[in-house]
Amino acid sequence: RLATEFASAERTTEAGWSCVTLVDGSDDPYTWDVCALADPADKQLVLAQAFYPSSESVDRYRAGVRAALAGGGS
C-alpha cells in the first residue's frame, strides 16, 4: 500500500524474513526496511524495521542489520 509513495519498493527474503525495502525519491534518499517473520510454533508475527536517513547510512549499517536478522548479531 505504501509503495506508490516511494521511488522504489522491493521485496526480498533475508534469512527467512520477508522484507520490503522502500526508497525515497529525493536527491539523497532515505531507505526504510520493514521485515516480518512468522513463528507458527509460538503463533507470533515478529516485525523488524530499519531506517537509514541517507545512502551513506545504508552502506554503513545494512550489513549489520541483515546479520542481526540472520541471528549473527552485529
Side-chain angles (χ1 to χ4, degrees), residues 5-74:
E5 298 176 29
F6 290 86
S8 71
E10 178 184 0
R11 289 184 182 192
T12 60
T13 302
E14 301 292 335
W17 293 75
S18 296
C19 300
V20 175
T21 298
L22 303 166
V23 181
D24 179 54
S26 64
D27 290 338
D28 190 17
Y30 68 86
T31 300
W32 183 24
D33 288 336
V34 181
C35 300
L37 178 67
D39 186 347
D42 292 331
K43 297 182 181 178
Q44 293 183 359
L45 179 65
V46 181
L47 298 176
Q49 297 183 71
F51 177 79
Y52 309 97
S54 65
S55 56
E56 177 183 285
S57 62
V58 172
D59 294 340
R60 183 173 181 182
Y61 296 110
R62 180 173 269 162
V65 169
R66 299 246 165 104
L69 291 175
S74 249

